[in-house]
Amino acid sequence: MRQQTDPALMSAEELLDLYARRALSPVEALKAVMERVARYNPWVNAFATMNPQALRAAGESEARWAAGRPLGLLDGVPSTVKDLLHLAGFPTRRGSRTTDAAPVAEDAPAVVGLKAEGAVILGKTTTTEFGWKTPGDCPLHGITRNPWNPRRTPGGSSSGAGAAGAACFGPLHIGTDAGGSIRIPAAYCGLVGVKPSYGRIPQWPHGAFSGIAVAGPMTRGVRDAALMFSAMARHDLRDPVSLPDERRDWRDGIEQGVAGLRVALVRRLGFDPPLDDEGAAALQVAAKLLEEQGAIIEEAEPELPDTRAIFSRVWGVALARIWTSTPEEKRGLLDAGIEEVAKQMGGMSAADFLGAEMLRVECAHAMARFHQRYDLVLTAATPTAALDADAPTVRPVESLWRDWAPWTFAFNLTRQPAISVPIGLDEQGMPRAVQVAAALYRDDLAFRAARAIERAASLPLAEPAETGQMRTTLN
């Protein structure tokens, strides 16, 4: 990969190295990013709101670097926050016209971590309404588009984070993931998307998908993801399921590779998830790259129950909760698909829901047993490349396991770490990705495997800017 000269195209590590050598300032980096935002965001539509104090924050960072006293691991690095999370001084609209437009008073735990390490927050990125679906549109902000091709969706629900990462609107982006909402847009947009072990990155307040949802990094490279993870993975007393502090730099050991590790190539997750030919080819390429680096690859299948039935119940109850908690006079403002899923899936009894939770625990147990034999799991990330951005959402329950998240939601049920990592481009020039997962709390192994794939694939970090696709108009 050639050396970048435009700060907007640089990784966080590259920016930090230049700051330390006084070869670049945080203000210069932010201005380069903002020029790019001004040029491309009018059609990408990645932001719910911008931070008018970002330039001042970059100036404060510049002064710290000049004095030789950077605040932390991310001082001066442009970053964004998904609009499902609180950012003090800004409203948390969650992509919905039904939510309060008043600013919130405190930061979400993940945002606390970024700010404590000196990150400069550009703004809040768009989300599908309450994070409910994969197509990247919402009633409040409209359609967010994929920088690789404006006719394709960036995915969701972290649609704005995916689009911002691919468009090089800064190197670091917080997403959230309850069924694939980090990993799917990362796969569609050519990014690295990290779903951590449940509780590793604290959240507050918890949302409708509390029992399976996590926050995590979305970046253009694995090392940046691990760097960002290091800032976000810190205990927060507000979150009762937050893990005790394991304060560390998650880049440590990330280059150790996969030699001797046993990797299960998995094609079935309690059912047969669909996968097109190019996705199957990408999966084989990833397996070969890991094998060439000394991993032991075996095709294997964890003995899972039908994860579609389990996740559909959890998802349906969450959306029913959103529907019933919305004042009746405002329900007409919601995305119509929320009502459809709520009415189709939300009518189960308490016993049915508790039964689904027991099946979720069985899934977690089955995967724990599976990881007694295998260090890592390798699967596809999505069934196809990015979908049509303008297509209406129809039959969402069927779309969930057929088109959107069949490869991702099982790992939310098991709560283990999983990372989407780019593997190449398809014949239409759209990114394809694979997914690596490790046993619960072995986030370090997932990072090592993702880095091994990335290193062997040798894909450029800023490919969207170089293809000319971002100059395509919607005419």
Side-chain angles (χ1 to χ4, degrees), residues 109 195-203 206 214-215 229 232-248 250 415-417 439-444:
K195 188 202 84 66
S197 294
Y198 187 77
R200 179 76 73 194
I201 294 175
Q203 293 196 90
H206 280 225
V214 296
F229 198 87
M232 297 168 70
R234 56 175 67 201
H235 180 72
D236 192 298
L237 287 171
R238 292 173 291 175
D239 184 354
V241 298
S242 173
L243 294 176
D245 262 338
E246 188 179 347
R247 297 301 299 276
R248 57 179 285 184
W250 286 85
R415 298 182 173 180
Q416 66 195 95
L440 186 64
Y441 307 135
R442 290 309 307 268
D443 305 74
D444 58 320

Side-chain angles (χ1 to χ4, degrees), residues 20-264:
R21 294 192 283 113
R22 309 294 189 270
L24 180 72
S25 78
V27 170
E28 290 170 330
L30 180 66
K31 286 182 175 179
V33 169
M34 293 308 297
E35 287 173 4
R36 198 167 176 86
V37 171
R39 182 176 181 184
Y40 296 124
N41 195 59
W43 66 262
V44 171
N45 190 31
F47 287 98
T49 186
M50 302 298 296
N51 178 12
Q53 302 302 317
L55 187 59
R56 186 182 74 177
E60 293 169 352
S61 172
E62 184 171 317
R64 291 192 293 268
W65 280 105
R69 294 193 298 272
L71 184 60
L73 286 171
L74 304 176
D75 205 348
V77 179
S79 310
T80 71
V81 177
K82 182 180 179 179
D83 193 30
L84 287 184
L85 300 180
H86 284 350
L87 177 63
F90 295 84
T92 305
R93 297 303 307 272
R94 300 181 174 89
S96 181
R97 294 178 292 174
T98 69
T99 52
D100 191 348
V104 299
E106 64 180 14
D107 292 317
V111 179
V112 169
L114 290 197
K115 285 185 175 180
E117 298 295 339
V120 173
I121 308 299
L122 267 72
K124 301 194 77 176
T125 52
T126 58
T127 175
T128 67
E129 190 168 27
F130 296 106
W132 85 275
K133 67 176 183 177
T134 289
D137 62 89
C138 71
L140 184 61
H141 298 113
I143 298 173
T144 299
R145 298 185 180 276
N146 193 316
W148 290 83
N149 184 331
R151 292 179 175 82
R152 304 285 191 101
T153 182
S157 63
S158 304
S159 45
C168 301
F169 298 163
L172 306 180
H173 309 275
I174 300 179
T176 64
D177 190 314
S181 288
I182 285 173
R183 290 159 290 157
I184 294 167
Y188 284 177
C189 293
L191 304 180
V192 174
V194 180
K195 188 202 84 66
S197 294
Y198 187 77
R200 179 76 73 194
I201 294 175
Q203 293 196 90
W204 191 257
H206 280 225
F209 300 96
S210 173
I212 53 175
V214 296
M218 298 175 67
T219 65
R220 295 194 297 273
V222 176
R223 289 186 61 88
D224 268 9
L227 172 64
M228 188 179 182
F229 198 87
S230 303
M232 297 168 70
R234 56 175 67 201
H235 180 72
D236 192 298
L237 287 171
R238 292 173 291 175
D239 184 354
V241 298
S242 173
L243 294 176
D245 262 338
E246 188 179 347
R247 297 301 299 276
R248 57 179 285 184
D249 188 331
W250 286 85
R251 293 171 296 178
D252 292 345
I254 202 170
E255 304 291 348
Q256 288 181 5
V258 293
L261 296 182
R262 299 182 68 85
V263 180

